[in-house]
Amino acid sequence: MADDVFMVRRSRVKLGHLMFADYSTDYVELDRWYLAPHFDDCTDGYLFTKDRRLAAETCVTWFRDNQGASEPSKIGCDYRYPDELLPDDDAPEL
């Protein structure tokens, strides 16, 4: 997000593609867990924070809570990289 703010979301279903109008954080309260259903696919809430440690510890706690999972896919994580808005200068043109 803007201004060095991280967004952490937790869901029990695979998260869809975010569609933000912009990445401004002017109107969000930091370090507060939001439970309002703003995102259709976000079942357990979300958090905006500038505290990298808080964001990381939140995720680590979820792993600890699910330590009985028989395999990594049962934990419910989905790792993705952000979409690139502009092509890489070294990439061949299509």
Side-chain angles (χ1 to χ4, degrees):
M1 306 297 297
D3 304 319
D4 297 319
V5 173
F6 295 93
M7 179 183 181
V8 180
R9 300 192 311 166
R10 183 170 184 190
S11 180
R12 306 222 181 254
V13 298
K14 186 174 180 177
L15 299 174
H17 187 75
L18 293 177
M19 294 184 65
F20 291 133
D22 62 49
Y23 293 92
S24 171
T25 56
D26 293 340
Y27 301 105
V28 298
E29 183 179 338
L30 298 179
D31 303 327
R32 173 184 167 217
W33 194 253
Y34 286 90
L35 292 172
H38 184 80
F39 302 101
D40 292 341
D41 57 4
C42 190
T43 59
D44 292 337
Y46 50 101
L47 163 79
F48 297 98
T49 186
K50 287 188 174 188
D51 186 340
R52 290 176 189 229
R53 182 178 213 101
L54 175 61
E57 288 294 329
T58 300
C59 296
V60 167
T61 299
W62 295 334
F63 282 107
R64 287 184 182 143
D65 285 348
N66 290 290
Q67 64 182 327
S70 60
E71 58 189 63
S73 65
K74 299 292 183 187
I75 294 173
C77 289
D78 179 47
Y79 299 98
R80 294 184 311 186
Y81 292 95
D83 293 336
E84 294 287 335
L85 296 179
L86 300 174
D88 185 345
D89 289 337
D90 297 329
E93 290 191 35
L94 299 176

